[in-house]
Amino acid sequence: LTDVPGVKDGDGVVRARISAAETRAMMAAGVVAGGMIPKVEACLRAAEGGAAALIIDGREPHALLAALRGAESGTRVG
């Protein structure tokens, strides 16, 4: 959970899903920067371990519950 709606691409659009390769490329290009880097790195580690890895907006009411129920929200990484 974080205070942004998800991972944004170079055009500022929140991506519903990004692969591990896309995530690393976005970090290398500076599209993913600052405080988002530790979040996506944690997601990459989780995904490599077989877990679902999501970045979702914790400011939204019941965001975690909705994500656990399968709602399309935020960004799935990996």
Coordinates of all heavy atoms in Angstrom, one line a residue:
L1 N 0.8 -1.2 0.0 CA 0.0 0.0 0.0 C 0.9 1.2 0.0 O 1.9 1.3 0.7 CB -0.9 0.0 1.2 CG -2.0 -1.1 1.3 CD1 -2.6 -1.0 2.7 CD2 -3.0 -0.9 0.2
T2 N 0.5 2.2 -0.8 CA 1.2 3.5 -0.8 C 0.3 4.6 -1.1 O -1.0 4.4 -1.0 CB 2.3 3.4 -1.9 OG1 3.1 4.5 -1.9 CG2 1.7 3.2 -3.3
D3 N 0.8 5.8 -1.3 CA -0.1 7.0 -1.5 C -0.1 7.4 -2.9 O -0.3 8.6 -3.2 CB 0.4 8.1 -0.6 CG 1.8 8.6 -0.9 OD1 2.5 7.9 -1.6 OD2 2.2 9.6 -0.3
V4 N 0.1 6.5 -3.8 CA 0.0 6.8 -5.3 C -0.9 5.7 -5.9 O -1.0 4.6 -5.3 CB 1.3 6.9 -6.0 CG1 2.2 8.0 -5.5 CG2 2.1 5.6 -5.9
P5 N -1.5 5.9 -7.1 CA -2.4 5.0 -7.6 C -1.8 3.7 -8.2 O -2.4 2.8 -8.6 CB -3.2 5.7 -8.7 CG -2.3 6.9 -9.0 CD -1.6 7.2 -7.8
G6 N -0.4 3.8 -8.4 CA 0.3 2.6 -9.0 C 1.5 3.1 -9.7 O 1.9 4.3 -9.5
V7 N 2.2 2.3 -10.5 CA 3.4 2.6 -11.2 C 3.0 3.3 -12.5 O 2.2 2.8 -13.3 CB 4.2 1.4 -11.5 CG1 5.5 1.7 -12.3 CG2 4.6 0.7 -10.2
K8 N 3.5 4.5 -12.7 CA 3.2 5.3 -13.9 C 4.3 5.1 -15.0 O 5.5 5.0 -14.6 CB 3.1 6.8 -13.6 CG 1.9 7.0 -12.6 CD 1.8 8.5 -12.3 CE 0.6 8.7 -11.4 NZ 0.5 10.1 -11.0
D9 N 3.9 5.0 -16.2 CA 4.8 5.0 -17.3 C 5.4 6.3 -17.7 O 5.0 7.3 -17.0 CB 4.2 4.3 -18.5 CG 3.0 5.0 -19.2 OD1 2.9 6.2 -18.9 OD2 2.3 4.4 -19.9
G10 N 6.1 6.5 -18.7 CA 6.7 7.7 -19.1 C 5.8 8.8 -19.4 O 6.1 10.0 -19.4
D11 N 4.5 8.4 -19.8 CA 3.5 9.4 -20.1 C 2.6 9.7 -18.9 O 1.6 10.5 -19.0 CB 2.6 8.8 -21.2 CG 3.4 8.6 -22.5 OD1 4.2 9.5 -22.8 OD2 3.1 7.7 -23.2
G12 N 2.9 9.2 -17.7 CA 2.2 9.5 -16.5 C 0.9 8.6 -16.4 O 0.1 8.9 -15.5
V13 N 0.8 7.6 -17.2 CA -0.4 6.7 -17.1 C -0.1 5.5 -16.2 O 1.0 4.9 -16.3 CB -0.7 6.2 -18.5 CG1 -1.9 5.2 -18.5 CG2 -1.0 7.3 -19.5
V14 N -1.0 5.2 -15.3 CA -0.8 4.1 -14.4 C -0.9 2.8 -15.2 O -1.9 2.6 -15.9 CB -1.8 4.1 -13.2 CG1 -1.7 2.9 -12.4 CG2 -1.7 5.4 -12.4
R15 N 0.1 2.0 -15.0 CA 0.1 0.7 -15.7 C -0.6 -0.4 -14.8 O -0.3 -0.5 -13.6 CB 1.5 0.2 -16.0 CG 2.3 1.2 -16.9 CD 2.0 0.9 -18.3 NE 2.3 -0.5 -18.7 CZ 3.5 -0.9 -19.1 NH1 4.5 -0.1 -19.3 NH2 3.6 -2.2 -19.4
A16 N -1.5 -1.1 -15.4 CA -2.2 -2.2 -14.6 C -1.2 -3.3 -14.3 O -1.4 -4.0 -13.3 CB -3.4 -2.7 -15.4
R17 N -0.3 -3.6 -15.2 CA 0.7 -4.7 -15.1 C 2.0 -4.3 -15.7 O 2.0 -3.8 -16.8 CB 0.1 -5.9 -15.7 CG 0.9 -7.2 -15.7 CD 0.2 -8.3 -16.3 NE -0.9 -8.7 -15.5 CZ -0.9 -9.8 -14.7 NH1 0.1 -10.6 -14.6 NH2 -2.0 -10.1 -14.0
I18 N 3.1 -4.7 -15.1 CA 4.4 -4.5 -15.7 C 5.2 -5.7 -15.4 O 5.2 -6.3 -14.3 CB 5.2 -3.2 -15.3 CG1 5.3 -3.1 -13.7 CG2 4.5 -2.0 -15.8 CD1 6.1 -1.9 -13.3
S19 N 5.9 -6.2 -16.4 CA 6.8 -7.4 -16.2 C 8.0 -7.0 -15.4 O 8.3 -5.8 -15.2 CB 7.2 -8.0 -17.5 OG 8.1 -7.1 -18.2
A20 N 8.8 -8.0 -15.0 CA 10.0 -7.7 -14.3 C 11.0 -7.0 -15.2 O 11.6 -6.0 -14.8 CB 10.7 -9.0 -13.8
A21 N 11.1 -7.4 -16.5 CA 12.0 -6.7 -17.4 C 11.5 -5.3 -17.6 O 12.4 -4.4 -17.7 CB 12.0 -7.5 -18.7
E22 N 10.2 -5.0 -17.8 CA 9.8 -3.7 -18.0 C 10.1 -2.8 -16.7 O 10.4 -1.6 -16.8 CB 8.2 -3.6 -18.2 CG 7.8 -4.2 -19.5 CD 6.3 -4.3 -19.7 OE1 5.7 -4.9 -18.7 OE2 5.8 -3.8 -20.7
T23 N 9.9 -3.4 -15.6 CA 10.2 -2.7 -14.3 C 11.6 -2.3 -14.2 O 11.9 -1.1 -13.9 CB 9.8 -3.6 -13.1 OG1 8.5 -4.0 -13.2 CG2 10.0 -2.8 -11.8
R24 N 12.5 -3.2 -14.6 CA 14.0 -2.9 -14.5 C 14.3 -1.8 -15.6 O 15.1 -0.9 -15.3 CB 14.8 -4.1 -14.7 CG 14.7 -5.0 -13.5 CD 15.6 -6.3 -13.7 NE 15.4 -7.1 -12.5 CZ 14.6 -8.2 -12.5 NH1 13.9 -8.6 -13.5 NH2 14.6 -8.9 -11.4
A25 N 13.7 -1.9 -16.7 CA 14.0 -0.9 -17.8 C 13.4 0.5 -17.4 O 14.1 1.5 -17.6 CB 13.3 -1.3 -19.1
M26 N 12.3 0.5 -16.7 CA 11.7 1.8 -16.3 C 12.6 2.4 -15.2 O 12.8 3.6 -15.2 CB 10.3 1.6 -15.8 CG 9.3 1.3 -16.9 SD 7.7 0.8 -16.3 CE 7.0 2.4 -15.8
M27 N 13.2 1.6 -14.3 CA 14.1 2.1 -13.3 C 15.4 2.6 -14.0 O 15.9 3.7 -13.7 CB 14.5 1.0 -12.3 CG 13.4 0.7 -11.3 SD 13.8 -0.3 -9.9 CE 14.3 -1.8 -10.7
A28 N 15.9 1.9 -14.9 CA 17.1 2.3 -15.6 C 16.9 3.6 -16.4 O 17.9 4.4 -16.5 CB 17.6 1.2 -16.6
A29 N 15.7 3.8 -16.9 CA 15.4 5.0 -17.7 C 15.1 6.2 -16.8 O 14.9 7.3 -17.3 CB 14.3 4.7 -18.7
G30 N 14.9 5.9 -15.5 CA 14.5 7.0 -14.6 C 13.0 7.3 -14.6 O 12.6 8.3 -13.9
V31 N 12.2 6.5 -15.2 CA 10.8 6.6 -15.2 C 10.3 6.2 -13.8 O 9.5 6.9 -13.2 CB 10.1 5.8 -16.3 CG1 8.6 5.8 -16.1 CG2 10.5 6.2 -17.6
V32 N 10.8 5.2 -13.2 CA 10.6 4.8 -11.9 C 11.7 5.3 -11.1 O 12.9 4.9 -11.3 CB 10.4 3.2 -11.7 CG1 10.4 2.9 -10.2 CG2 9.2 2.7 -12.4
A33 N 11.4 6.2 -10.1 CA 12.5 6.9 -9.4 C 12.1 7.2 -8.0 O 11.0 6.9 -7.6 CB 12.9 8.2 -10.1
G34 N 13.0 7.7 -7.2 CA 12.8 8.1 -5.9 C 12.2 7.0 -5.0 O 12.7 5.9 -5.0
G35 N 11.2 7.3 -4.3 CA 10.6 6.4 -3.3 C 9.9 5.2 -3.9 O 9.6 4.3 -3.3
M36 N 9.6 5.3 -5.3 CA 9.0 4.1 -5.9 C 10.0 3.0 -6.1 O 9.6 1.8 -6.2 CB 8.4 4.6 -7.3 CG 7.6 3.5 -7.9 SD 6.2 2.9 -7.0 CE 5.0 4.3 -7.0
I37 N 11.3 3.3 -6.2 CA 12.3 2.3 -6.4 C 12.3 1.2 -5.3 O 12.2 0.0 -5.7 CB 13.7 2.9 -6.6 CG1 13.8 3.7 -7.9 CG2 14.8 1.8 -6.5 CD1 15.1 4.4 -8.1
P38 N 12.3 1.5 -4.0 CA 12.2 0.4 -3.1 C 10.9 -0.4 -3.1 O 10.9 -1.6 -2.9 CB 12.4 1.1 -1.7 CG 12.5 2.5 -2.0 CD 12.5 2.8 -3.4
K39 N 9.9 0.3 -3.5 CA 8.6 -0.4 -3.6 C 8.6 -1.5 -4.8 O 8.2 -2.6 -4.6 CB 7.4 0.6 -3.9 CG 7.2 1.5 -2.7 CD 6.2 2.6 -3.1 CE 5.9 3.6 -2.0 NZ 7.0 4.5 -1.8
V40 N 9.1 -1.0 -5.9 CA 9.1 -2.0 -7.1 C 10.2 -3.1 -6.8 O 10.0 -4.2 -7.2 CB 9.3 -1.3 -8.4 CG1 8.1 -0.4 -8.7 CG2 10.5 -0.6 -8.6
E41 N 11.3 -2.7 -6.2 CA 12.3 -3.7 -5.9 C 11.7 -4.8 -5.0 O 12.0 -6.0 -5.1 CB 13.6 -3.1 -5.3 CG 14.4 -2.4 -6.3 CD 15.6 -1.7 -5.7 OE1 15.6 -1.4 -4.5 OE2 16.5 -1.4 -6.5
A42 N 11.0 -4.4 -4.0 CA 10.3 -5.3 -3.1 C 9.3 -6.2 -3.8 O 9.2 -7.4 -3.6 CB 9.6 -4.6 -1.9
C43 N 8.6 -5.6 -4.7 CA 7.6 -6.4 -5.6 C 8.4 -7.4 -6.4 O 7.9 -8.5 -6.6 CB 6.8 -5.4 -6.4 SG 5.6 -4.5 -5.5
L44 N 9.5 -7.0 -7.0 CA 10.3 -7.9 -7.8 C 10.7 -9.1 -7.0 O 10.6 -10.2 -7.5 CB 11.4 -7.2 -8.5 CG 11.1 -6.2 -9.6 CD1 12.3 -5.4 -10.0 CD2 10.5 -6.9 -10.8
R45 N 11.2 -8.8 -5.8 CA 11.7 -9.9 -4.9 C 10.5 -10.9 -4.6 O 10.6 -12.1 -4.6 CB 12.3 -9.4 -3.7 CG 13.7 -8.9 -3.9 CD 14.5 -8.6 -2.6 NE 13.7 -7.7 -1.7 CZ 13.8 -6.4 -1.8 NH1 14.5 -5.8 -2.7 NH2 13.1 -5.6 -0.9
A46 N 9.4 -10.3 -4.3 CA 8.2 -11.1 -4.0 C 7.7 -11.9 -5.2 O 7.4 -13.1 -5.0 CB 7.0 -10.2 -3.5
A47 N 7.7 -11.3 -6.3 CA 7.3 -12.0 -7.5 C 8.2 -13.1 -7.9 O 7.8 -14.2 -8.3 CB 7.2 -11.0 -8.7
E48 N 9.5 -12.9 -7.7 CA 10.5 -14.0 -8.0 C 10.3 -15.1 -7.0 O 10.7 -16.3 -7.3 CB 11.9 -13.4 -7.8 CG 12.3 -12.5 -9.0 CD 13.6 -11.7 -8.7 OE1 14.2 -11.8 -7.6 OE2 13.9 -10.9 -9.6
G49 N 9.8 -14.9 -5.8 CA 9.5 -15.9 -4.9 C 8.1 -16.6 -5.1 O 7.7 -17.4 -4.3
G50 N 7.4 -16.1 -6.1 CA 6.1 -16.8 -6.4 C 4.9 -16.1 -5.8 O 3.8 -16.5 -6.0
A51 N 5.1 -14.9 -5.1 CA 4.0 -14.2 -4.5 C 3.4 -13.2 -5.5 O 4.1 -12.8 -6.4 CB 4.5 -13.5 -3.3
A52 N 2.2 -12.9 -5.3 CA 1.5 -11.7 -6.0 C 2.2 -10.5 -5.5 O 2.4 -10.3 -4.3 CB 0.0 -11.7 -5.8
A53 N 2.5 -9.6 -6.4 CA 3.1 -8.3 -6.0 C 2.4 -7.1 -6.6 O 2.3 -7.0 -7.8 CB 4.6 -8.3 -6.5
L54 N 1.7 -6.4 -5.7 CA 0.9 -5.3 -6.2 C 1.3 -4.0 -5.5 O 1.7 -4.0 -4.3 CB -0.6 -5.5 -5.8 CG -1.2 -6.8 -6.3 CD1 -2.5 -7.1 -5.6 CD2 -1.5 -6.6 -7.8
I55 N 1.2 -2.9 -6.2 CA 1.3 -1.6 -5.6 C -0.1 -0.9 -5.8 O -0.5 -0.7 -6.9 CB 2.4 -0.7 -6.4 CG1 3.8 -1.4 -6.1 CG2 2.4 0.7 -5.9 CD1 4.9 -0.7 -6.8
I56 N -0.7 -0.7 -4.7 CA -2.1 -0.1 -4.7 C -2.2 1.1 -3.8 O -1.4 1.2 -2.8 CB -3.1 -1.2 -4.3 CG1 -2.8 -1.8 -3.0 CG2 -3.2 -2.2 -5.4 CD1 -3.9 -2.8 -2.5
D57 N -3.1 1.9 -4.1 CA -3.3 3.2 -3.4 C -4.1 3.0 -2.1 O -5.3 2.7 -2.1 CB -4.1 4.2 -4.3 CG -4.1 5.6 -3.7 OD1 -3.8 5.8 -2.6 OD2 -4.4 6.5 -4.5
G58 N -3.3 3.1 -1.0 CA -3.9 2.8 0.4 C -4.8 3.9 0.8 O -5.5 3.8 1.8
R59 N -4.9 5.0 0.1 CA -5.8 6.1 0.4 C -7.2 5.8 0.0 O -8.2 6.4 0.5 CB -5.4 7.4 -0.3 CG -4.0 7.9 0.1 CD -3.5 9.0 -0.8 NE -3.5 8.6 -2.2 CZ -3.1 9.4 -3.2 NH1 -2.8 10.6 -2.9 NH2 -3.1 8.9 -4.4
E60 N -7.4 4.8 -0.9 CA -8.7 4.4 -1.4 C -9.4 3.5 -0.3 O -8.7 2.6 0.2 CB -8.6 3.6 -2.7 CG -8.1 4.5 -3.8 CD -9.1 5.6 -4.2 OE1 -10.3 5.3 -4.2 OE2 -8.6 6.7 -4.6
P61 N -10.6 3.8 0.1 CA -11.3 2.9 1.1 C -11.3 1.5 0.6 O -11.6 1.2 -0.5 CB -12.7 3.5 1.1 CG -12.5 4.9 0.6 CD -11.5 4.9 -0.4
H62 N -10.9 0.6 1.5 CA -11.0 -0.9 1.3 C -10.1 -1.3 0.1 O -10.4 -2.4 -0.5 CB -12.4 -1.3 1.1 CG -13.3 -0.8 2.2 ND1 -13.2 -1.2 3.5 CD2 -14.3 0.1 2.1 CE1 -14.2 -0.5 4.2 NE2 -14.8 0.3 3.4
A63 N -9.0 -0.6 -0.2 CA -8.2 -0.9 -1.3 C -7.6 -2.3 -1.2 O -7.5 -3.1 -2.2 CB -7.1 0.1 -1.5
L64 N -7.1 -2.6 0.0 CA -6.4 -3.9 0.1 C -7.5 -5.1 0.0 O -7.2 -6.1 -0.7 CB -5.7 -4.0 1.5 CG -5.0 -5.3 1.8 CD1 -3.9 -5.6 0.7 CD2 -4.3 -5.2 3.1
L65 N -8.6 -4.9 0.6 CA -9.6 -5.9 0.5 C -10.1 -6.1 -0.9 O -10.2 -7.2 -1.4 CB -10.8 -5.5 1.4 CG -12.0 -6.5 1.4 CD1 -11.6 -7.9 1.9 CD2 -13.1 -6.0 2.3
A66 N -10.2 -5.0 -1.7 CA -10.6 -5.1 -3.1 C -9.6 -5.8 -3.9 O -9.9 -6.7 -4.7 CB -10.9 -3.7 -3.6
A67 N -8.3 -5.5 -3.6 CA -7.2 -6.2 -4.4 C -7.2 -7.7 -4.1 O -7.0 -8.5 -5.0 CB -5.9 -5.5 -4.0
L68 N -7.4 -8.0 -2.8 CA -7.5 -9.5 -2.5 C -8.6 -10.2 -3.1 O -8.6 -11.4 -3.3 CB -7.5 -9.6 -0.9 CG -6.2 -9.2 -0.2 CD1 -6.4 -9.2 1.3 CD2 -5.1 -10.1 -0.6
R69 N -9.7 -9.5 -3.4 CA -10.8 -10.0 -4.0 C -10.7 -10.0 -5.6 O -11.6 -10.4 -6.3 CB -12.1 -9.3 -3.6 CG -12.5 -9.5 -2.2 CD -13.7 -8.9 -1.8 NE -14.1 -9.2 -0.5 CZ -15.0 -8.5 0.2 NH1 -15.6 -7.5 -0.2 NH2 -15.3 -9.0 1.5
G70 N -9.6 -9.5 -6.1 CA -9.3 -9.6 -7.5 C -9.6 -8.4 -8.3 O -9.6 -8.4 -9.5
A71 N -10.0 -7.3 -7.6 CA -10.3 -6.0 -8.3 C -9.0 -5.5 -9.0 O -7.9 -5.6 -8.5 CB -10.8 -5.0 -7.4
E72 N -9.2 -5.0 -10.2 CA -8.1 -4.4 -11.0 C -7.9 -3.0 -10.3 O -8.7 -2.1 -10.5 CB -8.5 -4.2 -12.4 CG -8.5 -5.6 -13.2 CD -7.1 -6.2 -13.3 OE1 -6.1 -5.5 -13.4 OE2 -7.0 -7.4 -13.2
S73 N -6.8 -2.9 -9.6 CA -6.5 -1.7 -8.9 C -4.9 -1.6 -8.9 O -4.3 -2.6 -8.6 CB -7.1 -1.7 -7.5 OG -6.7 -0.5 -6.8
G74 N -4.4 -0.4 -9.1 CA -3.0 -0.2 -8.9 C -2.2 -1.0 -10.0 O -2.7 -1.1 -11.1
T75 N -1.0 -1.5 -9.7 CA -0.1 -2.1 -10.6 C 0.3 -3.5 -10.1 O 0.8 -3.6 -9.0 CB 1.1 -1.2 -10.9 OG1 0.7 0.0 -11.3 CG2 2.0 -1.9 -11.9
R76 N 0.2 -4.5 -10.9 CA 0.8 -5.8 -10.6 C 2.2 -5.9 -11.2 O 2.3 -5.6 -12.4 CB -0.1 -6.9 -11.2 CG 0.4 -8.3 -10.9 CD -0.5 -9.4 -11.4 NE -1.8 -9.4 -10.7 CZ -2.0 -10.0 -9.5 NH1 -1.1 -10.7 -9.0 NH2 -3.2 -9.9 -9.0
V77 N 3.1 -6.2 -10.4 CA 4.6 -6.2 -10.8 C 5.1 -7.6 -10.9 O 4.9 -8.4 -10.0 CB 5.4 -5.4 -9.8 CG1 6.9 -5.4 -10.3 CG2 4.9 -3.9 -9.7
G78 N 5.8 -7.9 -12.0 CA 6.4 -9.2 -12.1 C 5.7 -10.1 -13.1 O 4.8 -9.9 -13.7

